[in-house]
Amino acid sequence: MPDCMTYEQGALIEPLTVAVHVVKRTPVVELGSSSSIIAIGAGPIGLFVAAVAHARGVSDCLVMDIDQTRLDFAQQYLPGIKTELLPMPMHLLQVAWAEQQAVLLQLSADAIDVVFECTGAETSICLAMHTVRRGGVVMLIGMGMVQCVMPIDLISTREIDDRGNFRYAQAHEEAIALAAHGYVSMEELVTHRFSLSQTVDAFEQAQQSSHVIKIHIAC
């Protein structure tokens, strides 16, 4: 860590590195200034992915979530992005639900170049397949169930490129540089701060509140 970085920024390098790794694995031809991307999930990983993509020159970004509070936070964190509230699926027909939501959102099958799926939820994975353009890329980031239903016919006939991602590799140096030079805002993601003696309270806050993005526990 350079001297200009705070310890709080340093504590956030790990999730930022996940986003850096994912964006580095996205084909360059699909991730440029004219690209359109979606990040499903407005948690720390989804927000960092959108921020890193923006730092790489992507300006057309849509962030989706089932929690309006998180979407409001996303718009404050990344001014200029678009957000979309997703309804909670009321049944187990994930593929049908995803197809229905893609229609309701009126997303063109030829418009979205990359979808970053950051939740691991089966419904969100299916939605990613239905919203990315023909020949586009779906980056699977969220860790959910071991197995899930996916629209294989859609993936094959539209030649969707699905890429799995696990943590990070050789991305820490770039993540530190992005933070140190201010290309990615770090401390804004810390929504709650606790002292070490309040650690139990911090975990309870994280479990109970959807308003939490990141909690910082410090001595």
Side-chain angles (χ1 to χ4, degrees), residues 137-188:
V137 179
V138 173
M139 304 298 283
L140 300 173
I141 308 163
M143 301 296 289
M145 297 184 296
V146 176
Q147 297 181 356
C148 72
V149 175
M150 295 175 65
I152 299 300
D153 57 334
L154 191 69
I155 296 170
S156 298
T157 57
R158 293 178 57 200
E159 297 186 344
I160 297 171
D161 184 2
D162 299 315
R163 295 195 172 196
N165 297 273
F166 184 66
R167 295 184 181 175
Y168 35 74
Q170 299 178 340
H172 283 78
E173 185 175 346
E174 182 175 342
I176 291 171
L178 286 171
H181 291 92
Y183 294 120
V184 174
S185 177
M186 304 287 286
E187 292 169 313
E188 289 182 31

Side-chain angles (χ1 to χ4, degrees), residues 21 29 32 43 54 61 73 90 92 107-109 123 127 164 174 204:
H21 173 69
V29 69
H54 180 73
C61 176
F73 181 90
M90 302 303 292
L92 298 179
L107 295 171
S108 170
T123 49
L127 180 61
E174 182 175 342
E204 289 177 350

Side-chain angles (χ1 to χ4, degrees), residues 9-24:
Q9 289 175 321
L12 290 167
I13 287 296
E14 193 274 341
L16 177 58
T17 307
V18 174
V20 170
H21 173 69
V22 168
V23 172
K24 287 176 66 175

